[in-house]
Amino acid sequence: PNEATAAYFLGRAQAEQKALTAAITHFRKAVALRPGWLAARYALATACFEAGRFDEAIAECERLRQLSPGLRQAHFLSAFSHAHKEDYATAIEEYLEARPQNPTPSYYLGLANLLAKAGRHDEAERSLRRARELAPTSPTLLFALVSHLETTGKWKEAETEIGKLPGNDPFAVALLARHYQRAGRLADAEKAYSRLVQLAGNKPWSHILRGDFLLGTGRYDQACTEYQRAVDLGEKRARNFLASALTAAGKLDKARKHIATILDDSPRDARAHLERARLLLAEVTRDGQLEKLDDARSAATKALELDPSLLEAHLALADAMLLEKPPKRLAAVAELKRALAARPDYI
């Protein structure tokens, strides 16, 4: 028992550090020594899921159900694993098996997401509206409903839902700006984002949203300004957004110094390592310094080690392969397939 307990806690420590392969090894040892230990087996299933090993996660969920037939967490995890494999019919079945006696808004939200991925859009909309009935003031649920209506081409219905909020509500303005942006109404979107920073200029997220819009429409210098304002307001997350905008703007020296500052402060910041990889690739593209490709690959690999869910790092690795002389196209394709294996809907 002591050896099993030690293996379990070692696994938890490794999982917290995102060292998922090592965590899985320790959890497997724990359940081999104590096959009926639910907590260890659930931890094993979760680690497999987070590592993208969905078949193993599903198998462990089945063992959990054999040990404890009423364990809803096992059905949920199995549902999400099947969803990642794009087996949405089974995912929905598993999710419905996990239905609590009194479903919460978050339960209906999760069900709506699966139904939408399965192409059952009317059912998804009904599930979202049911969630909104239970929590009518939830910004998350309103955002989800509006997004679903937009995705299914119900633009007027989406705008109607947004219009139910007060016109001076920053969240309503942000949602309206995003709505205009998705509808291709960029002039209206720009006005709404400007209105947003007027209403909530002391909130970092308002500057991040406007920065994202400016970055997406090719106004890199203005995006840098907005992200810098978010950083100045204390939003550390915006530092990496600023790094990305500086690189896109061609301000590579500033980007290099900025990323070095982030990594000095947070050496395990996965996204900062990704931004360093992107910067190095930009330098290779600009100056033809192919010797920097090794550093770019190392930075992207480090980002994935720290956060396996950071799929943009696979794109950076693929870009590095394509910049080689001659380009390693087949290797780049294999790298992109790794990203798709982890998340099949990764556009």
Side-chain angles (χ1 to χ4, degrees):
N2 290 339
E3 191 175 352
T5 301
Y8 170 69
F9 282 105
L10 279 171
R12 283 185 54 178
Q14 295 286 358
E16 288 173 4
Q17 296 297 319
K18 298 296 182 181
L20 296 173
T21 301
I24 289 168
T25 299
H26 289 303
F27 289 141
R28 285 203 185 283
K29 182 177 180 180
V31 298
L33 293 167
R34 288 177 58 185
W37 191 2
L38 290 178
R41 196 167 290 281
Y42 183 71
L44 171 58
T46 302
C48 288
F49 174 81
E50 291 179 353
R53 293 157 62 169
F54 303 119
D55 288 331
E56 294 174 64
I58 290 167
E60 292 304 326
C61 288
E62 179 58 33
R63 293 186 184 99
L64 280 166
R65 289 197 294 271
Q66 291 170 2
L67 292 168
S68 179
L71 190 64
R72 286 203 303 271
Q73 294 94 320
H75 286 290
F76 279 129
L77 191 55
S78 180
F80 298 139
S81 298
H82 281 289
H84 275 281
K85 288 166 60 68
E86 295 188 291
D87 180 3
Y88 298 119
T90 305
I92 292 167
E93 289 176 9
E94 290 282 5
Y95 197 88
L96 291 172
E97 285 290 331
R99 178 188 171 101
Q101 186 173 359
N102 296 305
T104 62
S106 61
Y107 172 84
Y108 284 112
L109 175 60
L111 178 58
N113 287 335
L114 291 176
L115 289 166
K117 288 179 178 179
R120 294 159 62 174
H121 298 298
D122 290 342
E123 293 174 79
E125 183 179 335
R126 286 196 293 271
S127 187
L128 287 169
R129 291 193 182 280
R130 177 58 181 148
R132 288 268 292 148
E133 289 173 5
L134 294 172
T137 61
S138 168
T140 300
L141 294 175
L142 175 59
F143 180 82
L145 177 58
V146 168
S147 296
H148 181 76
L149 291 170
E150 291 170 344
T151 300
T152 53
K154 297 181 178 180
W155 296 99
K156 289 184 179 179
E157 291 92 331
E159 198 163 338
T160 298
E161 291 293 334
I162 298 170
K164 293 177 182 178
L165 294 175
N168 61 348
D169 181 338
F171 175 73
V173 176
L175 201 55
L176 188 61
R178 175 186 169 278
H179 171 73
Y180 287 146
Q181 186 177 353
R182 291 193 72 186
R185 297 164 60 179
L186 298 185
D188 290 331
E190 182 156 6
K191 291 176 184 177
Y193 281 118
S194 296
R195 170 73 172 151
L196 173 63
V197 295
Q198 289 173 358
L199 289 171
N202 63 336
K203 304 294 184 183
W205 61 267
S206 70
H207 297 288
I208 290 173
L209 290 178
R210 186 161 188 262
D212 290 346
F213 172 71
L214 293 166
L215 187 66
T217 51
R219 285 168 288 177
Y220 304 127
D221 289 339
Q222 291 173 267
C224 290
T225 300
E226 291 297 338
Y227 291 138
Q228 184 63 63
R229 287 172 180 159
V231 172
D232 293 341
L233 287 167
E235 179 54 78
K236 283 191 172 185
R237 184 170 54 101
R239 297 184 303 178
N240 286 317
F241 302 152
L242 176 57
S244 182
L246 287 168
T247 299
K251 299 178 179 180
L252 303 188
D253 290 338
K254 284 187 177 181
R256 189 184 310 107
K257 292 175 183 176
H258 181 66
I259 293 167
T261 301
I262 298 173
L263 289 172
D264 284 343
D265 180 55
S266 305
R268 296 185 63 80
D269 186 329
R271 187 160 286 278
H273 285 285
L274 171 61
E275 294 303 337
R276 181 170 179 267
R278 288 171 166 169
L279 167 66
L280 289 163
L281 291 171
E283 290 177 332
V284 171
T285 302
R286 185 188 67 180
D287 304 326
Q289 301 176 41
L290 296 180
E291 65 274 10
K292 291 187 176 183
L293 286 176
D294 285 341
D295 287 342
R297 281 190 291 267
S298 296
T301 300
K302 182 66 175 178
L304 278 173
E305 288 175 359
L306 292 170
D307 184 0
S309 69
L310 195 60
L311 300 186
E312 295 98 319
H314 288 291
L315 302 186
L317 286 169
D319 284 341
M321 294 166 187
L322 292 172
L323 285 170
E324 292 192 33
K325 303 294 183 184
K328 294 184 177 178
R329 293 188 176 88
L330 291 178
V333 168
E335 194 62 46
L336 295 172
K337 285 183 176 179
R338 290 187 186 96
L340 289 170
R343 200 173 95 198
D345 63 343
Y346 186 32
I347 296 174

